[in-house]
Amino acid sequence: MSISVIGIAGSLRTGSFNMALLRAAAELVPIGMTIEIAGIDSIPLYNADVDALGTPAVVQELKDKIRAADALLIATPEYNYSVPGVLKNAIDWISRNPDPPLTGKPTAIMGASVGVLGTVRAQYHLRQIGVFTNMLILNRPEVFVGRAQEKFDASGKLIDEPTRKIIGDLLIALKDWTNKVSGNQ
Ligand SMILES: Cc1cc2nc3c(=O)[nH]c(=O)nc-3n(C[C@H](O)[C@H](O)[C@H](O)COP(=O)(O)O)c2cc1C
């Protein structure tokens, strides 16, 4: 069975290293896996008054994409030792009823930052968010891409071989995890 994955990057920046990391993952997929990248650029700021009137179409579209996919892959930057507001905001919207698609969703996380720790602190916050939203986040491997500015070329291609290798390992682990969670193995 082929595993379909939706990828989300927690950055809206044109030259985002995290979006580039997702593009690298889409290139490095193992046989039997596909990755489609979904944008969060148009997601409005969460407002419970707006939510009470019904789920906005762009949020519904993202929820539907995640629900239809077998697994989720999140690439997060680190802002002030945590996940960027745009990512938290998107998660807040899609965590709402009806039918929050994160519940029970096999999920892998990774992240790139210009600091040496490569989003360690942001990823542990993301794991904490995953507890309440009930995402089933894969524990290992942990993919922390530090000094990202040295690991991509000018076109945004990931050129650091150890990073390419660990992303490949993450995707294989996500495939196994998804099959295990779905009862296929
Ligand atoms: C508001 C803000 C806070 C930041 N805080 C951190 C931080 O806590 N740790 C870190 O390693 N990098 C931090 N950075 C630098 C980011 O790692 C860097 O901007 C990175 O390129 C963002 O990811 P992107 O390339 O996907 O947009 C911060 C950047 C911004 C704009």
Side-chain angles (χ1 to χ4, degrees), residues 31-52:
I31 290 168
M33 177 180 271
T34 57
I35 297 182
E36 182 198 339
I37 299 175
I40 58 169
D41 312 49
S42 313
I43 304 286
L45 287 178
Y46 183 79
N47 179 333
D49 296 337
V50 174
D51 196 3

Side-chain angles (χ1 to χ4, degrees), residues 30 33 108 138-141 166-180 185:
M33 177 180 271
L138 180 68
N139 283 332
R140 291 183 198 170
I166 199 168
I167 289 176
D169 292 347
L170 178 75
L171 297 175
I172 289 167
L174 178 61
K175 188 176 167 188
D176 291 347
W177 179 229
T178 305
N179 280 328
K180 196 170 283 179
Q185 110 185 357

Side-chain angles (χ1 to χ4, degrees), residues 37-111:
I37 299 175
I40 58 169
D41 312 49
S42 313
I43 304 286
L45 287 178
Y46 183 79
N47 179 333
D49 296 337
V50 174
D51 196 3
L53 298 174
T55 309
V58 283
V59 175
Q60 191 60 51
E61 200 180 312
L62 182 59
K63 286 177 87 169
D64 291 345
K65 276 186 180 171
I66 294 171
R67 188 174 308 101
D70 299 308
L72 180 62
L73 174 63
I74 301 176
T76 185
E78 180 170 280
Y79 279 8
N80 297 316
Y81 283 18
S82 188
V83 295
V86 290
L87 178 60
K88 180 62 164 56
N89 181 63
I91 291 174
D92 290 343
W93 265 117
I94 58 184
S95 71
R96 302 294 294 162
N97 284 324
D99 301 327
L102 298 176
T103 303
K105 185 64 67 180
T107 301
I109 65 176
M110 58 184 181

Side-chain angles (χ1 to χ4, degrees), residues 10-11 13 15-22 74-84 109-123 143-152 158 160 163 167:
S11 172
R13 201 168 72 83
S16 164
F17 294 126
N18 286 279
M19 184 56 89
L21 213 53
L22 273 188
I74 301 176
T76 185
E78 180 170 280
Y79 279 8
N80 297 316
Y81 283 18
S82 188
V83 295
I109 65 176
M110 58 184 181
S113 80
V114 297
V116 285
L117 295 183
T119 74
V120 166
R121 295 154 297 214
Q123 287 194 41
V143 179
F144 304 125
V145 183
R147 303 196 59 79
Q149 67 278 20
E150 297 169 6
K151 296 186 175 154
F152 296 86
L158 180 63
D160 184 67
T163 306
I167 289 176

